[in-house]
Structures are given as structure tokens and as C-alpha cells.
Amino acid sequence: MLDWLDRLSLPLLLILALTLGLAPFFPEPHVWEKLKMLAAGELVRPIDIFDLLLHGTPWLLLLAKLIRLLSKPRHGPSL
């Protein structure tokens, strides 16, 4: 069911999260600005919601990939 997530490269997701997920970097990362707006109840304009989705998606995919990797059963050598 989540084969598409398994096929995504972890380094690629990390690069996406650190570039698109944080851009623009100054004066503060866009995703951080939008999360603060969301917490304050000020995320109401469609462009702001789109920005949160655009800049937040790489982080969500990276988190999902890491959870999936850590939850896979490990098949070590059996004695």
C-alpha cells in the first residue's frame, strides 16, 4: 500500500525538506512563519494555506519515510 513511499530516496527527501521545506531562508523559513500563523489562528488566506502545504509536504514525507524505516521489522542473523 505504501510502496511509493518505500521507493522514495531518503537523501532526496532530506534535500527537499532542507531546500523547498525551508525556502525562503530569510528573514525566517516560510514553513515556520505559516505554522506560527496556524497556531495564532491567522492562517485564513488561500495563498497562506497553499504555502503551508507546499513547504510542509517535504517535511511530512520525510517524517513518514523515517517512521516507515524505523517500524520495519529487522531480519538479523538467526541462531
Side-chain angles (χ1 to χ4, degrees):
M1 183 172 158
L2 292 176
D3 294 335
W4 62 272
L5 188 57
D6 292 334
R7 289 190 304 267
L8 289 176
S9 146
L10 186 60
L12 174 64
L13 289 176
L14 186 59
I15 289 169
L16 284 174
L18 292 176
T19 55
L20 177 62
L22 292 176
F25 301 99
F26 298 103
E28 67 182 348
H30 229 45
V31 72
W32 181 247
E33 176 188 1
K34 300 308 174 189
L35 287 172
K36 288 190 323 187
M37 289 174 70
L38 180 64
E42 300 170 354
L43 192 73
V44 293
R45 295 183 350 185
I47 189 68
D48 293 328
I49 295 167
F50 173 75
D51 272 349
L52 178 60
L53 291 173
L54 177 71
H55 295 284
T57 299
W59 290 104
L60 293 175
L61 288 172
L62 179 61
L63 180 63
K65 177 75 171 188
L66 290 173
I67 290 171
R68 184 125 167 107
L69 286 174
L70 294 174
S71 66
K72 279 189 176 179
R74 306 227 185 262
H75 297 289
S78 56
L79 299 174

